[in-house]
Amino acid sequence: MAKNVVIIGTQWGDEGKGKIVDLITDKVTSVVRFQGGHNAGHTLVIKGKKTVLHLIPSGILRSNVQCLIGHGVVLSMSALLKEMAELEEADLDVQSRLSISPGCPLILPYHIALDNAREAKRGKAAIGTTGNGIGPAYEDKVARRGLRVGDLLDESLFADKLSQVMEYHNYALENYYNHSVIDYQQTLDEALEQASVIRPMIIDVADEIYTRMSNDENILFEGAQGALLDIDQGTYPYVTSSNTTSGGAVTGSGIGVRDIDYVLGIVKAYTTRVGGGPFPTELIYDVKSDKGDPVGRELCARGHEFGATTGRQRRSGWLDLVILNRSFKLNSVSGICLTKLDVLDELSSIKICVAYEINGMQSKIPPFSAEDYSIAKPVYIEMPGWQQSTIGTHSFDDLPIAAQNYIKKIEELSQLPVDVLSTGPDREETLIINNPFD
């Protein structure tokens, strides 16, 4: 019997989703990306060769898999065409295997200008966006003034709509942000030139999904970022602009809530975060000055914790089961995929946060607001490290006993099974205990 499986990151992103999507697409006919934009970066390593994807679903590296971009994704045509060209240079057939929903909001140059102008104006209070125009594009969508992929099918209508929305945004850029305006004709000409490549890939993605479901095909739904960055459920306002939880697979692709059969929650064996926002278990370390917590330094160095999209250093810290358990509930997680276990290989002891101390009281419920996190102190349990390599281990029983105990403790604290274990960056360095499609 065919299944619909959703893969989401359960932390603040960068959990290693791309590798896992690529890995289990050997059992699917299609992969659907359902939210976010090119601010996401999914890194895949296959036989030592690294590929970084931003918009195109990770199933593109499987020649028999169709890739679909749902209407929940904000689309930069410039970023998409650049990514397509890079993949085609590597002899991958992209255009015939990639379909795009007409409902995708377009990211255009004025969105990028607004994004950067706002961050500059916020100064020290900046959210830490990637500067790619994601937030402003989602704002236009909600305000019902945004241009969508389907508008590219009528050049005259597109030009009229673009003129109206650019008049609105250029006024704000010039008069509020003291920023130079974006040229209308240049924006129009560039968009229409890019549209000539995009138009043949536009299809009713929701209908395509229904057809494949009626044909009893396995479908994988791929999220971007992490659940704790969800615009509604995350650590607001230090969040992204879309629904990164599993519910986003429904709203961003067109399937119904009862169509989801399994949710695989990707969990990094420790915790990282990019940009500002609460992070109770952070082990503060700055790579530029080489100052800070020695374990934070170890996690950053061994985990190569630098953003695939921006190159920014990720903040690193211990695994936090308080906020993770909230994430598991929000996403109806069926099973865990634990990644980057090998990054902990050299540590003599490892901590897991099991509660917060707030005003002298212990709580297993995460605070509601970002401000409340500032007074939340993590309460840890400490476990012995294993101090030997786990890279490439293909049997749970072959793992060091201390590593097995660490995994079992995560299962105990979360009441969820670890169904998949990543033991290195390569596709082949993965232990599948229970395949979500089996």
Side-chain angles (χ1 to χ4, degrees):
M1 182 178 177
K3 283 187 176 181
N4 291 330
V5 171
V6 177
I7 288 187
I8 50 99
T10 56
Q11 295 155 299
W12 283 293
D14 310 305
E15 300 93 349
K17 297 177 292 297
K19 171 192 169 177
I20 304 305
V21 171
D22 167 69
L23 179 75
I24 63 176
T25 47
D26 64 336
K27 293 182 177 289
V28 309
T29 62
S30 49
V31 177
V32 184
R33 171 78 181 274
F34 58 82
Q35 50 75 221
H38 64 296
N39 54 338
H42 292 172
T43 302
L44 316 177
V45 181
I46 301 169
K47 295 182 179 179
K49 182 180 179 181
K50 184 167 80 170
T51 300
V52 180
L53 301 172
H54 301 278
L55 271 169
I56 297 174
S58 302
I60 198 68
L61 299 187
R62 303 272 188 182
S63 61
N64 61 324
V65 172
Q66 189 70 19
C67 293
L68 309 171
I69 296 179
H71 55 260
V73 175
V74 283
L75 189 85
S76 162
M77 291 190 288
S78 299
L80 179 63
L81 295 179
K82 179 177 182 291
E83 195 170 325
M84 287 173 60
E86 290 171 353
L87 291 170
E88 285 166 353
E89 283 177 12
D91 294 325
L92 281 169
D93 177 19
V94 179
Q95 195 162 353
S96 68
R97 295 196 295 116
L98 181 64
S99 300
I100 304 167
S101 169
C104 290
L106 289 169
I107 299 175
L108 292 161
Y110 50 86
H111 292 126
I112 298 168
L114 283 165
D115 201 351
N116 288 292
R118 287 174 182 174
E119 285 288 87
K121 194 173 182 67
R122 289 186 183 110
K124 292 183 178 179
I127 292 171
T129 75
T130 58
N132 287 322
I134 309 299
Y138 273 116
E139 286 177 38
D140 273 0
K141 169 187 173 178
V142 175
R144 293 167 292 186
R145 61 172 168 257
L147 290 158
R148 305 199 296 174
V149 166
D151 292 322
L152 298 169
L153 299 172
D154 185 328
E155 291 190 6
S156 176
L157 182 62
F158 180 86
D160 288 343
K161 287 185 175 181
L162 182 67
S163 176
Q164 293 173 36
V165 75
M166 287 194 67
E167 181 181 354
Y168 174 84
H169 285 310
N170 273 334
Y171 182 86
L173 282 169
E174 183 176 24
N175 294 286
Y176 184 71
Y177 293 109
N178 296 317
H179 191 285
S180 56
V181 299
I182 305 302
D183 185 77
Y184 165 74
Q185 193 61 48
Q186 182 180 342
T187 302
L188 176 62
D189 292 345
E190 182 181 73
L192 293 180
E193 182 181 351
Q194 294 166 338
S196 64
V197 181
I198 300 295
R199 286 191 198 102
M201 294 185 283
I202 301 174
I203 69 166
D204 185 336
V205 165
D207 186 66
E208 178 70 14
I209 294 171
Y210 305 150
T211 299
R212 289 174 178 267
M213 287 169 56
S214 66
N215 291 336
D216 208 30
E217 300 179 22
N218 286 335
I219 304 173
L220 190 63
F221 294 81
E222 175 185 24
Q225 290 93 29
L228 301 180
L229 293 174
D230 186 275
I231 184 66
D232 293 310
Q233 304 290 352
T235 48
Y236 189 90
Y238 300 95
V239 292
T240 192
S241 303
S242 61
N243 289 115
T244 57
T245 47
S246 58
V250 174
T251 57
S253 69
I255 62 169
V257 291
R258 291 191 298 169
D259 293 325
I260 297 175
D261 299 300
Y262 180 103
V263 178
L264 182 64
I266 314 297
V267 180
K268 192 177 284 187
Y270 48 103
T271 308
T272 60
R273 179 165 198 168
V274 174
F279 189 169
T281 64
E282 181 179 9
L283 301 168
I284 299 173
Y285 166 74
D286 178 60
V287 70
K288 293 181 180 178
S289 64
D290 195 24
K291 292 181 180 179
D293 190 285
V295 177
R297 183 183 189 277
E298 176 87 355
L299 295 176
C300 182
R302 285 184 56 82
H304 306 290
E305 295 300 349
F306 299 91
T309 300
T310 63
R312 288 185 294 177
Q313 178 194 349
R314 298 179 188 130
R315 301 153 63 192
S316 301
W318 298 117
L319 191 66
D320 186 340
L321 258 295
V322 178
I323 200 163
L324 257 180
N325 277 331
R326 169 61 65 86
S327 180
F328 293 151
K329 291 182 177 72
L330 290 172
N331 292 285
S332 295
V333 170
S334 311
I336 293 170
C337 169
L338 190 67
T339 65
K340 288 200 168 184
L341 183 72
D342 54 291
V343 175
L344 307 180
D345 283 353
E346 296 184 7
L347 299 178
S348 59
S349 65
I350 299 167
K351 294 180 181 180
I352 301 175
C353 175
V354 294
Y356 296 150
E357 184 180 298
I358 302 173
N359 296 325
M361 302 284 288
Q362 283 196 17
S363 173
K364 293 187 178 182
I365 301 173
F368 176 74
S369 69
E371 291 77 15
D372 290 340
Y373 272 97
S374 63
I375 59 172
K377 298 178 181 179
V379 177
Y380 293 111
I381 59 170
E382 192 164 355
M383 302 184 70
W386 42 94
Q387 296 187 289
Q388 62 187 96
S389 178
T390 59
I391 295 176
T393 306
H394 288 288
S395 167
F396 185 84
D397 293 336
D398 289 339
L399 289 168
I401 296 299
Q404 293 183 34
N405 290 338
Y406 183 66
I407 295 167
K408 290 176 181 176
K409 179 58 70 173
I410 292 171
E411 291 182 318
E412 175 192 326
L413 293 170
S414 66
Q415 293 296 292
L416 287 169
V418 172
D419 285 343
V420 182
L421 181 65
S422 175
T423 58
D426 201 283
R427 175 196 278 175
E428 297 175 359
E429 293 171 332
T430 313
L431 172 59
I432 299 181
I433 301 166
N434 293 298
N435 193 306
F437 285 105
D438 288 342

PDB file of all heavy atoms in Angstrom, residues 242-269:
ATOM      1  N   SER A 242       6.949  31.316   6.985  1.00  0.00           N
ATOM      2  CA  SER A 242       6.039  30.276   6.499  1.00  0.00           C
ATOM      3  C   SER A 242       5.761  29.261   7.593  1.00  0.00           C
ATOM      4  O   SER A 242       6.361  29.302   8.678  1.00  0.00           O
ATOM      5  CB  SER A 242       6.645  29.575   5.274  1.00  0.00           C
ATOM      6  OG  SER A 242       7.880  28.953   5.611  1.00  0.00           O
ATOM      7  N   ASN A 243       4.858  28.340   7.305  1.00  0.00           N
ATOM      8  CA  ASN A 243       4.530  27.257   8.237  1.00  0.00           C
ATOM      9  C   ASN A 243       5.459  26.085   7.977  1.00  0.00           C
ATOM     10  O   ASN A 243       5.292  25.331   7.025  1.00  0.00           O
ATOM     11  CB  ASN A 243       3.069  26.837   8.101  1.00  0.00           C
ATOM     12  CG  ASN A 243       2.125  27.877   8.647  1.00  0.00           C
ATOM     13  OD1 ASN A 243       1.347  28.478   7.920  1.00  0.00           O
ATOM     14  ND2 ASN A 243       2.192  28.133   9.941  1.00  0.00           N
ATOM     15  N   THR A 244       6.450  25.940   8.856  1.00  0.00           N
ATOM     16  CA  THR A 244       7.476  24.914   8.694  1.00  0.00           C
ATOM     17  C   THR A 244       7.117  23.608   9.377  1.00  0.00           C
ATOM     18  O   THR A 244       7.872  22.636   9.292  1.00  0.00           O
ATOM     19  CB  THR A 244       8.813  25.423   9.264  1.00  0.00           C
ATOM     20  OG1 THR A 244       8.623  25.785  10.643  1.00  0.00           O
ATOM     21  CG2 THR A 244       9.307  26.639   8.512  1.00  0.00           C
ATOM     22  N   THR A 245       5.991  23.570  10.067  1.00  0.00           N
ATOM     23  CA  THR A 245       5.530  22.344  10.706  1.00  0.00           C
ATOM     24  C   THR A 245       4.877  21.425   9.666  1.00  0.00           C
ATOM     25  O   THR A 245       4.649  21.816   8.523  1.00  0.00           O
ATOM     26  CB  THR A 245       4.524  22.675  11.823  1.00  0.00           C
ATOM     27  OG1 THR A 245       3.570  23.618  11.317  1.00  0.00           O
ATOM     28  CG2 THR A 245       5.219  23.286  13.033  1.00  0.00           C
ATOM     29  N   SER A 246       4.556  20.205  10.086  1.00  0.00           N
ATOM     30  CA  SER A 246       4.002  19.233   9.141  1.00  0.00           C
ATOM     31  C   SER A 246       2.673  19.697   8.548  1.00  0.00           C
ATOM     32  O   SER A 246       2.304  19.299   7.444  1.00  0.00           O
ATOM     33  CB  SER A 246       3.839  17.866   9.813  1.00  0.00           C
ATOM     34  OG  SER A 246       2.999  17.963  10.950  1.00  0.00           O
ATOM     35  N   GLY A 247       1.952  20.551   9.277  1.00  0.00           N
ATOM     36  CA  GLY A 247       0.714  21.103   8.734  1.00  0.00           C
ATOM     37  C   GLY A 247       0.940  21.907   7.476  1.00  0.00           C
ATOM     38  O   GLY A 247       0.042  22.051   6.644  1.00  0.00           O
ATOM     39  N   GLY A 248       2.162  22.438   7.310  1.00  0.00           N
ATOM     40  CA  GLY A 248       2.490  23.179   6.108  1.00  0.00           C
ATOM     41  C   GLY A 248       2.471  22.312   4.860  1.00  0.00           C
ATOM     42  O   GLY A 248       2.297  22.815   3.746  1.00  0.00           O
ATOM     43  N   ALA A 249       2.636  20.995   5.044  1.00  0.00           N
ATOM     44  CA  ALA A 249       2.563  20.076   3.900  1.00  0.00           C
ATOM     45  C   ALA A 249       1.160  20.051   3.318  1.00  0.00           C
ATOM     46  O   ALA A 249       0.978  19.858   2.107  1.00  0.00           O
ATOM     47  CB  ALA A 249       2.979  18.669   4.324  1.00  0.00           C
ATOM     48  N   VAL A 250       0.162  20.265   4.173  1.00  0.00           N
ATOM     49  CA  VAL A 250      -1.228  20.299   3.729  1.00  0.00           C
ATOM     50  C   VAL A 250      -1.530  21.623   3.035  1.00  0.00           C
ATOM     51  O   VAL A 250      -1.979  21.658   1.892  1.00  0.00           O
ATOM     52  CB  VAL A 250      -2.182  20.078   4.926  1.00  0.00           C
ATOM     53  CG1 VAL A 250      -3.635  20.263   4.511  1.00  0.00           C
ATOM     54  CG2 VAL A 250      -1.958  18.692   5.521  1.00  0.00           C
ATOM     55  N   THR A 251      -1.238  22.725   3.740  1.00  0.00           N
ATOM     56  CA  THR A 251      -1.591  24.032   3.195  1.00  0.00           C
ATOM     57  C   THR A 251      -0.718  24.420   2.000  1.00  0.00           C
ATOM     58  O   THR A 251      -1.144  25.189   1.146  1.00  0.00           O
ATOM     59  CB  THR A 251      -1.470  25.118   4.273  1.00  0.00           C
ATOM     60  OG1 THR A 251      -0.138  25.120   4.803  1.00  0.00           O
ATOM     61  CG2 THR A 251      -2.453  24.855   5.411  1.00  0.00           C
ATOM     62  N   GLY A 252       0.502  23.889   1.923  1.00  0.00           N
ATOM     63  CA  GLY A 252       1.421  24.293   0.870  1.00  0.00           C
ATOM     64  C   GLY A 252       1.460  23.400  -0.350  1.00  0.00           C
ATOM     65  O   GLY A 252       2.175  23.695  -1.314  1.00  0.00           O
ATOM     66  N   SER A 253       0.674  22.301  -0.329  1.00  0.00           N
ATOM     67  CA  SER A 253       0.684  21.400  -1.486  1.00  0.00           C
ATOM     68  C   SER A 253      -0.709  21.103  -2.020  1.00  0.00           C
ATOM     69  O   SER A 253      -0.880  20.853  -3.210  1.00  0.00           O
ATOM     70  CB  SER A 253       1.370  20.076  -1.128  1.00  0.00           C
ATOM     71  OG  SER A 253       0.573  19.331  -0.221  1.00  0.00           O
ATOM     72  N   GLY A 254      -1.705  21.099  -1.136  1.00  0.00           N
ATOM     73  CA  GLY A 254      -3.067  20.838  -1.582  1.00  0.00           C
ATOM     74  C   GLY A 254      -3.621  19.494  -1.156  1.00  0.00           C
ATOM     75  O   GLY A 254      -4.764  19.169  -1.474  1.00  0.00           O
ATOM     76  N   ILE A 255      -2.833  18.690  -0.424  1.00  0.00           N
ATOM     77  CA  ILE A 255      -3.370  17.424   0.075  1.00  0.00           C
ATOM     78  C   ILE A 255      -4.248  17.677   1.297  1.00  0.00           C
ATOM     79  O   ILE A 255      -4.211  18.758   1.885  1.00  0.00           O
ATOM     80  CB  ILE A 255      -2.242  16.422   0.433  1.00  0.00           C
ATOM     81  CG1 ILE A 255      -1.341  16.978   1.552  1.00  0.00           C
ATOM     82  CG2 ILE A 255      -1.429  16.061  -0.789  1.00  0.00           C
ATOM     83  CD1 ILE A 255      -0.389  15.957   2.143  1.00  0.00           C
ATOM     84  N   GLY A 256      -5.035  16.663   1.688  1.00  0.00           N
ATOM     85  CA  GLY A 256      -5.870  16.774   2.869  1.00  0.00           C
ATOM     86  C   GLY A 256      -5.158  16.249   4.102  1.00  0.00           C
ATOM     87  O   GLY A 256      -4.195  15.487   4.000  1.00  0.00           O
ATOM     88  N   VAL A 257      -5.642  16.624   5.284  1.00  0.00           N
ATOM     89  CA  VAL A 257      -4.960  16.239   6.527  1.00  0.00           C
ATOM     90  C   VAL A 257      -4.940  14.719   6.714  1.00  0.00           C
ATOM     91  O   VAL A 257      -4.010  14.171   7.304  1.00  0.00           O
ATOM     92  CB  VAL A 257      -5.608  16.916   7.755  1.00  0.00           C
ATOM     93  CG1 VAL A 257      -5.351  18.399   7.736  1.00  0.00           C
ATOM     94  CG2 VAL A 257      -7.117  16.630   7.820  1.00  0.00           C
ATOM     95  N   ARG A 258      -5.946  14.026   6.218  1.00  0.00           N
ATOM     96  CA  ARG A 258      -5.979  12.567   6.386  1.00  0.00           C
ATOM     97  C   ARG A 258      -5.111  11.833   5.366  1.00  0.00           C
ATOM     98  O   ARG A 258      -5.012  10.608   5.409  1.00  0.00           O
ATOM     99  CB  ARG A 258      -7.424  12.061   6.310  1.00  0.00           C
ATOM    100  CG  ARG A 258      -8.267  12.497   7.511  1.00  0.00           C
ATOM    101  CD  ARG A 258      -9.600  11.770   7.545  1.00  0.00           C
ATOM    102  NE  ARG A 258     -10.412  12.069   6.347  1.00  0.00           N
ATOM    103  CZ  ARG A 258     -11.524  11.417   6.021  1.00  0.00           C
ATOM    104  NH1 ARG A 258     -11.950  10.436   6.787  1.00  0.00           N
ATOM    105  NH2 ARG A 258     -12.199  11.754   4.932  1.00  0.00           N
ATOM    106  N   ASP A 259      -4.501  12.602   4.456  1.00  0.00           N
ATOM    107  CA  ASP A 259      -3.656  11.972   3.439  1.00  0.00           C
ATOM    108  C   ASP A 259      -2.228  11.716   3.928  1.00  0.00           C
ATOM    109  O   ASP A 259      -1.454  11.055   3.247  1.00  0.00           O
ATOM    110  CB  ASP A 259      -3.603  12.848   2.179  1.00  0.00           C
ATOM    111  CG  ASP A 259      -4.946  12.919   1.472  1.00  0.00           C
ATOM    112  OD1 ASP A 259      -5.668  11.903   1.492  1.00  0.00           O
ATOM    113  OD2 ASP A 259      -5.276  13.974   0.918  1.00  0.00           O
ATOM    114  N   ILE A 260      -1.869  12.263   5.089  1.00  0.00           N
ATOM    115  CA  ILE A 260      -0.518  12.061   5.623  1.00  0.00           C
ATOM    116  C   ILE A 260      -0.495  10.760   6.433  1.00  0.00           C
ATOM    117  O   ILE A 260      -1.269  10.582   7.370  1.00  0.00           O
ATOM    118  CB  ILE A 260      -0.094  13.245   6.513  1.00  0.00           C
ATOM    119  CG1 ILE A 260      -0.023  14.526   5.682  1.00  0.00           C
ATOM    120  CG2 ILE A 260       1.262  12.963   7.167  1.00  0.00           C
ATOM    121  CD1 ILE A 260       0.279  15.770   6.494  1.00  0.00           C
ATOM    122  N   ASP A 261       0.415   9.869   6.047  1.00  0.00           N
ATOM    123  CA  ASP A 261       0.496   8.562   6.709  1.00  0.00           C
ATOM    124  C   ASP A 261       1.595   8.485   7.764  1.00  0.00           C
ATOM    125  O   ASP A 261       1.494   7.694   8.704  1.00  0.00           O
ATOM    126  CB  ASP A 261       0.745   7.465   5.658  1.00  0.00           C
ATOM    127  CG  ASP A 261      -0.368   7.386   4.627  1.00  0.00           C
ATOM    128  OD1 ASP A 261      -1.516   7.143   5.033  1.00  0.00           O
ATOM    129  OD2 ASP A 261      -0.099   7.584   3.428  1.00  0.00           O
ATOM    130  N   TYR A 262       2.644   9.278   7.604  1.00  0.00           N
ATOM    131  CA  TYR A 262       3.790   9.168   8.512  1.00  0.00           C
ATOM    132  C   TYR A 262       4.548  10.490   8.476  1.00  0.00           C
ATOM    133  O   TYR A 262       4.724  11.091   7.408  1.00  0.00           O
ATOM    134  CB  TYR A 262       4.701   8.027   8.051  1.00  0.00           C
ATOM    135  CG  TYR A 262       5.940   7.771   8.896  1.00  0.00           C
ATOM    136  CD1 TYR A 262       5.990   6.698   9.790  1.00  0.00           C
ATOM    137  CD2 TYR A 262       7.066   8.576   8.783  1.00  0.00           C
ATOM    138  CE1 TYR A 262       7.136   6.468  10.554  1.00  0.00           C
ATOM    139  CE2 TYR A 262       8.198   8.354   9.539  1.00  0.00           C
ATOM    140  CZ  TYR A 262       8.223   7.295  10.422  1.00  0.00           C
ATOM    141  OH  TYR A 262       9.364   7.069  11.180  1.00  0.00           O
ATOM    142  N   VAL A 263       5.003  10.955   9.642  1.00  0.00           N
ATOM    143  CA  VAL A 263       5.833  12.160   9.733  1.00  0.00           C
ATOM    144  C   VAL A 263       7.178  11.781  10.340  1.00  0.00           C
ATOM    145  O   VAL A 263       7.246  11.308  11.477  1.00  0.00           O
ATOM    146  CB  VAL A 263       5.161  13.255  10.586  1.00  0.00           C
ATOM    147  CG1 VAL A 263       6.083  14.483  10.707  1.00  0.00           C
ATOM    148  CG2 VAL A 263       3.812  13.661   9.994  1.00  0.00           C
ATOM    149  N   LEU A 264       8.234  11.960   9.554  1.00  0.00           N
ATOM    150  CA  LEU A 264       9.593  11.691  10.035  1.00  0.00           C
ATOM    151  C   LEU A 264      10.202  13.001  10.518  1.00  0.00           C
ATOM    152  O   LEU A 264      10.383  13.935   9.734  1.00  0.00           O
ATOM    153  CB  LEU A 264      10.453  11.086   8.921  1.00  0.00           C
ATOM    154  CG  LEU A 264      11.893  10.708   9.306  1.00  0.00           C
ATOM    155  CD1 LEU A 264      11.906   9.590  10.361  1.00  0.00           C
ATOM    156  CD2 LEU A 264      12.682  10.271   8.070  1.00  0.00           C
ATOM    157  N   GLY A 265      10.506  13.062  11.814  1.00  0.00           N
ATOM    158  CA  GLY A 265      11.087  14.257  12.402  1.00  0.00           C
ATOM    159  C   GLY A 265      12.606  14.149  12.449  1.00  0.00           C
ATOM    160  O   GLY A 265      13.143  13.251  13.093  1.00  0.00           O
ATOM    161  N   ILE A 266      13.297  15.052  11.751  1.00  0.00           N
ATOM    162  CA  ILE A 266      14.751  15.035  11.734  1.00  0.00           C
ATOM    163  C   ILE A 266      15.268  15.771  12.964  1.00  0.00           C
ATOM    164  O   ILE A 266      14.877  16.915  13.229  1.00  0.00           O
ATOM    165  CB  ILE A 266      15.317  15.685  10.459  1.00  0.00           C
ATOM    166  CG1 ILE A 266      14.574  15.171   9.219  1.00  0.00           C
ATOM    167  CG2 ILE A 266      16.810  15.410  10.351  1.00  0.00           C
ATOM    168  CD1 ILE A 266      14.717  13.701   8.962  1.00  0.00           C
ATOM    169  N   VAL A 267      16.138  15.112  13.721  1.00  0.00           N
ATOM    170  CA  VAL A 267      16.691  15.666  14.958  1.00  0.00           C
ATOM    171  C   VAL A 267      18.209  15.580  14.900  1.00  0.00           C
ATOM    172  O   VAL A 267      18.770  14.500  14.770  1.00  0.00           O
ATOM    173  CB  VAL A 267      16.185  14.883  16.201  1.00  0.00           C
ATOM    174  CG1 VAL A 267      16.783  15.470  17.480  1.00  0.00           C
ATOM    175  CG2 VAL A 267      14.673  14.871  16.273  1.00  0.00           C
ATOM    176  N   LYS A 268      18.856  16.719  15.004  1.00  0.00           N
ATOM    177  CA  LYS A 268      20.312  16.719  15.144  1.00  0.00           C
ATOM    178  C   LYS A 268      20.638  16.242  16.551  1.00  0.00           C
ATOM    179  O   LYS A 268      19.903  16.547  17.502  1.00  0.00           O
ATOM    180  CB  LYS A 268      20.847  18.126  14.896  1.00  0.00           C
ATOM    181  CG  LYS A 268      22.350  18.209  14.727  1.00  0.00           C
ATOM    182  CD  LYS A 268      22.796  19.631  14.413  1.00  0.00           C
ATOM    183  CE  LYS A 268      22.511  20.016  12.987  1.00  0.00           C
ATOM    184  NZ  LYS A 268      23.094  21.335  12.639  1.00  0.00           N
ATOM    185  N   ALA A 269      21.727  15.498  16.716  1.00  0.00           N
ATOM    186  CA  ALA A 269      22.071  14.904  18.007  1.00  0.00           C
ATOM    187  C   ALA A 269      22.458  15.942  19.055  1.00  0.00           C
ATOM    188  O   ALA A 269      22.624  15.621  20.231  1.00  0.00           O
ATOM    189  CB  ALA A 269      23.202  13.885  17.844  1.00  0.00           C
TER     190      ALA A 269
END
